[in-house]
Amino acid sequence: MKISELESRVDLLSLIEKDYKVKKVGVNTYRVIPCPVCGSKKCFNIKANENYYNTFSGCCQGGGVYKYLQEVKGMNEAEAYETLKELAGIEEQPVAYNNKKSAITQPPAKAEEKAPFKDYTNTIIALYNKQTEHDKQYFINRGLTDEVIKKYMLCIGDVNKLDNNYHGKRAIIPIWEGGKVVSYNARALEENPEIKYMKPKGESVFFNIEYLDTAQPGELIAICEGEFDALSLESIGIKAIAIGGSENISRLLKKIEQAPKAKGLVFMTAFDNDKAGEKAAKKAGYPKIEIPSKYKDINEWHKAEPEAIKTAINEQIKAAARPDAVSEYLSKAFITDIEKFKTYQDKKTGFYNLDEEMGGLYAGLYVVGGISSVGKTTFIHQLGDQLAEQGEHIIYFSLEQSKLELVSKSLARITAKQDYNSAVTGISIRSGYIPKQVLRAAEAYEKTAQRVNIIEGNFDTTTETIRAYIDRYISLNNVKPIVIIDYLQIIPGDPRIGDKQRTDSNVTELKRISRDFDLTMFVISSLNRSNYLTPIDFESFKESGGIEYTADVIWGLQLQAINDDIFNSDKKIREKRERIKQAKAEDPRKIELVCLKNRNGKPHFSCNFAYYPKYDLFSPEPF
């Protein structure tokens, strides 16, 4: 994906406001005072409507988010590109090529050679020795011990002594590597400063990053956002790395991957109590140190409860070593899971006969199968509409039928429910016949339709794209949807494996999605043709191994005629086919739903429906 496309997804003003105080100085124009690059008063401007920044002093070129990450945040091209993708919500994107087959969207894969770090060691030692006890009290008030202050030579001093671009006293946190101070972070002493932190120009260095090479195998390393968070943990005996902001987690993960000794270390995250911190912790994938909700970060917690935090974190570290212990579940999640499970008892399909048997719709994977002409799609589509009528959000992945077909089915069904004698068929609606009863149906369907989402799929619809869509929908709407997939055998997979392995793999992944998001998912499945003249059972499902053992609930739809005595015989094939043909011609068709498996209730039952194909309608009783 092109850099310009990624930048269009990131609001530059909001990104800058995370680190600097911004002042509005004109229409769509904002300013950081002083400039975070050179320290001058009136040069760093942001054009919010253009997602662009520039300077008047010539201290940097200016540009969009990509340039900002390099010129202000000190990243090289490769680091800035990876961070830009992260901010834009893009995990991985293929490189685009022009007609000459040369890459045009991605900067060089190899990072530029690092310039030698400046050595600030002697200056830091001088500042540390010069500071007064009053200066030192600032760090003590932040909850830091004398040992930690001495170890890192934390000091109050004039930043101009380190780099000529900056002036004024700040709290200086030296960053040591190999026994030398190679960088620093200088925090403003006053509250609500124009610029909270100041760092040297060039590539930023993570605080305590050398732990990746020096820590002993099996040692715990906590990963924090800010240096004061890391210093707080160091004060209670826990080694910690600070990455200078949640957006830098991808850079750290790459460094961990590239550090040979890091494979033997144990990591936990201790990010801030906000959405960005939560996202970074999820990205890292390590066990998380839980900070009480009343505190924004580790340092704030440490200042308020210096003794309690040590006990609490040590308990969390022990728990992280045995995360699957039942004692942990009993103390933290057991009652919550019970309350959550109870809420599913109120979810009903809208078919009273089926609801009496099921007792509720629970989170899990529901597989619905049947031969052609028994109305699998119509049944599950109607069930989705009925759930939406009750307030549920529906995501319907239709890999076979168009949105036009499905919406016209909904309207035809409503016209039949309102007045069967004047009902309008779906095919008539699709052909442009829109009489008043269809308009009434559309009006009645309007509120329900706001909660129904139909995604027209194709062979690009995979379990990965399904997962991504669900994840985005939940994050944007803050609601847990019910998902319908029509149908299983169309979902593609690895072309190198056979149909059975592909189906098993997709069923397993769909089950994993339903479990990860704790939602109800319906999947339509085809049946084996060899079972078209026999009652439905597990063997009827195509590649039934994965379905039988993975699904939480399995329903089969079949013609009620399949229960006639003639189907008990191994012979009379012609008569059986004729009986099936007659049953399909009936109006309404008599359909039986057979429950073959149900993990959350009655394991086996059946209930009958009248199916009106003309109006795409299932009813527990004939009209």
Side-chain angles (χ1 to χ4, degrees):
M1 183 175 285
K2 291 182 179 180
I3 288 170
S4 59
E5 293 174 3
L6 292 171
E7 287 182 319
S8 69
R9 299 185 179 204
V10 183
D11 183 64
L12 177 63
L13 178 62
S14 299
L15 183 64
I16 293 174
E17 284 178 324
K18 289 181 180 179
D19 294 316
Y20 305 105
K21 190 173 181 180
V22 173
K23 180 180 180 181
K24 188 171 184 179
V25 293
V27 178
N28 290 315
T29 303
Y30 298 80
R31 182 171 294 158
V32 177
I33 306 173
C35 172
V37 180
C38 69
S40 65
K41 295 293 184 181
K42 295 182 180 181
C43 72
F44 194 95
N45 293 331
I46 306 136
K47 296 293 288 185
N49 59 329
E50 298 176 19
N51 220 30
Y52 183 89
Y53 76 95
N54 61 11
T55 69
F56 297 136
S57 66
C59 62
C60 55
Q61 296 177 16
V65 179
Y66 179 57
K67 273 293 183 184
Y68 171 79
L69 293 173
Q70 295 175 65
E71 295 189 318
V72 181
K73 302 296 284 185
M75 300 179 190
N76 60 40
E77 286 188 345
E79 291 171 337
Y81 185 74
E82 290 302 316
T83 302
L84 178 58
K85 286 199 300 181
E86 180 80 12
L87 293 169
I90 303 297
E91 293 294 331
E92 292 292 338
Q93 287 291 332
V95 179
Y97 291 87
N98 61 16
N99 293 333
K100 296 183 179 179
K101 303 296 183 183
S102 60
I104 60 172
T105 63
Q106 187 168 328
K110 291 184 178 180
E112 295 175 358
E113 273 190 39
K114 294 181 185 177
F117 287 120
K118 188 173 179 180
D119 187 351
Y120 299 96
T121 310
N122 291 334
T123 307
I124 288 295
I125 292 173
L127 289 172
Y128 175 77
N129 290 327
K130 184 180 179 181
Q131 72 176 337
T132 66
E133 287 298 316
H134 179 269
D135 291 336
K136 185 178 174 182
Q137 191 63 39
Y138 173 85
F139 299 104
I140 295 173
N141 292 341
R142 297 295 297 254
L144 308 184
T145 63
D146 284 335
E147 292 79 6
V148 166
I149 295 171
K150 182 178 181 180
K151 175 184 176 181
Y152 292 97
M153 291 196 171
L154 307 178
C155 52
I156 304 294
D158 192 335
V159 186
N160 185 47
K161 301 291 184 183
L162 297 169
D163 283 296
N164 293 328
N165 289 326
Y166 303 130
H167 299 271
K169 275 194 169 185
R170 285 178 167 257
I172 302 171
I173 303 168
I175 298 177
W176 295 79
E177 196 169 318
K180 295 181 179 181
V181 180
V182 297
S183 187
Y184 63 87
N185 199 352
R187 190 192 190 284
L189 298 175
E190 69 272 19
E191 294 297 322
N192 301 315
E194 297 288 350
I195 299 179
K196 191 173 183 179
Y197 288 102
M198 287 183 174
K199 300 180 181 181
K201 296 178 184 178
E203 184 183 21
S204 59
V205 185
F206 292 152
F207 180 78
N208 278 341
I209 191 63
E210 64 181 351
Y211 279 155
L212 297 184
D213 298 317
T214 62
Q216 297 301 308
E219 273 197 286
L220 172 73
I221 309 295
I223 303 169
C224 310
E225 291 188 41
E227 286 86 356
F228 275 110
D229 297 325
L231 290 166
S232 295
L233 290 174
E234 293 275 341
S235 292
I236 59 175
I238 298 171
K239 290 186 174 181
I241 293 173
I243 62 175
S246 60
E247 70 274 10
N248 292 322
I249 184 59
S250 294
R251 291 175 57 209
L252 177 69
L253 293 176
K254 283 192 175 181
K255 290 181 180 295
I256 291 173
E257 185 180 347
Q258 294 165 357
K261 293 183 179 180
K263 293 182 175 65
L265 303 179
V266 178
F267 295 98
M268 291 185 75
T269 57
F271 292 139
D272 293 359
N273 256 340
D274 54 25
K275 287 185 177 180
E278 184 178 339
K279 182 179 178 182
K282 185 177 180 181
K283 173 77 174 177
Y286 299 124
K288 180 182 176 183
I289 292 175
E290 297 290 345
I291 303 170
S293 58
K294 60 183 176 181
Y295 302 121
K296 67 178 183 180
D297 55 32
I298 285 287
N299 182 242
E300 190 173 281
W301 184 16
H302 183 231
K303 285 190 296 182
E305 303 180 56
E307 294 301 322
I309 186 176
K310 185 173 183 179
T311 302
I313 290 180
N314 283 331
E315 285 298 316
Q316 290 189 42
I317 292 170
K318 289 180 183 178
R322 42 181 172 77
D324 299 314
V326 174
S327 58
E328 287 295 306
Y329 176 71
L330 284 171
S331 65
K332 294 181 178 178
F334 182 60
I335 298 302
T336 301
D337 282 354
I338 287 176
E339 293 302 316
K340 185 167 57 177
F341 190 83
K342 284 163 59 178
T343 63
Y344 287 100
Q345 296 173 357
D346 299 325
K347 290 188 179 182
K348 306 297 182 184
T349 67
F351 296 117
Y352 72 81
N353 54 346
L354 181 55
D355 288 327
E356 286 176 2
E357 301 289 352
M358 289 296 295
L361 286 177
Y362 296 88
L365 182 64
Y366 290 62
V367 177
V368 184
I371 66 171
S372 62
S373 303
V374 297
K376 300 184 297 294
T377 292
T378 296
F379 178 81
I380 208 68
H381 178 243
Q382 181 175 339
L383 186 149
D385 274 354
Q386 289 169 179
L387 285 164
E389 287 173 10
Q390 301 168 58
E392 302 291 340
H393 285 235
I394 307 297
I395 298 178
Y396 195 114
F397 292 96
S398 178
L399 279 68
E400 192 175 39
Q401 298 195 20
S402 69
K403 190 175 293 188
L404 172 62
E405 289 176 283
L406 293 171
V407 172
S408 61
K409 280 175 179 281
S410 295
L411 298 180
R413 186 183 305 127
I414 294 171
T415 66
K417 285 183 176 182
Q418 290 178 338
D419 183 1
Y420 185 79
N421 294 323
S422 65
V424 180
T425 67
I427 187 65
S428 296
I429 295 172
R430 291 194 291 276
S431 300
Y433 181 55
I434 313 291
K436 60 183 180 182
Q437 50 266 53
V438 175
L439 296 176
R440 284 198 304 267
E443 184 178 354
Y445 188 52
E446 183 177 1
K447 286 187 178 180
T448 298
Q450 293 175 6
R451 293 183 289 273
V452 178
N453 306 271
I454 297 173
I455 299 92
E456 292 184 11
N458 49 43
F459 287 103
D460 293 331
T461 301
T462 64
T463 54
E464 289 81 9
T465 62
I466 289 170
R467 175 185 283 275
Y469 190 100
I470 294 170
D471 190 15
R472 178 174 173 79
Y473 191 90
I474 291 173
S475 65
L476 292 177
N477 296 277
N478 195 29
V479 68
K480 194 179 299 181
I482 289 176
V483 177
I484 297 172
I485 300 171
D486 183 8
Y487 62 93
L488 175 63
Q489 281 72 24
I490 297 181
I491 301 175
D494 189 339
R496 297 170 296 179
I497 61 178
D499 290 344
K500 182 184 188 306
Q501 290 84 356
R502 184 168 60 250
T503 300
D504 285 350
S505 175
N506 285 336
V507 167
T508 300
E509 182 55 30
L510 292 174
K511 166 66 181 208
R512 186 176 291 116
I513 293 171
S514 72
R515 184 184 60 204
D516 290 349
F517 292 109
D518 190 37
L519 50 75
T520 305
M521 178 181 289
F522 292 94
V523 182
I524 296 177
S525 174
S526 299
L527 296 186
N528 296 313
R529 291 190 177 275
S530 59
N531 293 104
Y532 276 28
L533 299 179
T534 59
I536 198 166
D537 59 16
F538 286 122
E539 297 302 319
S540 305
F541 284 83
K542 284 189 174 181
E543 318 301 344
S544 63
I547 294 173
E548 178 179 355
Y549 296 109
T550 305
D552 297 286
V553 177
I554 300 177
W555 293 337
L557 294 175
Q558 62 187 10
L559 295 162
Q560 292 178 31
I562 205 75
N563 296 311
D564 291 357
D565 290 341
I566 189 175
F567 293 97
N568 293 326
S569 171
D570 292 335
K571 302 178 181 179
K572 301 183 179 180
I573 300 299
R574 182 178 297 176
E575 290 88 339
K576 290 178 182 178
R577 287 175 176 165
E578 185 60 31
R579 182 67 189 95
I580 293 295
K581 184 178 179 180
Q582 292 171 1
K584 288 182 177 180
E586 293 176 354
D587 188 21
R589 288 178 200 161
K590 299 180 179 65
I591 303 296
E592 178 185 26
L593 181 147
V594 179
C595 180
L596 300 175
K597 178 182 180 181
N598 182 11
R599 282 199 172 122
N600 297 310
K602 189 185 294 187
H604 305 289
F605 62 82
S606 67
C607 49
N608 295 328
F609 293 91
Y611 170 38
Y612 299 87
K614 280 198 307 184
Y615 305 117
D616 302 288
L617 171 66
F618 272 79
S619 174
E621 297 176 355
F623 279 88

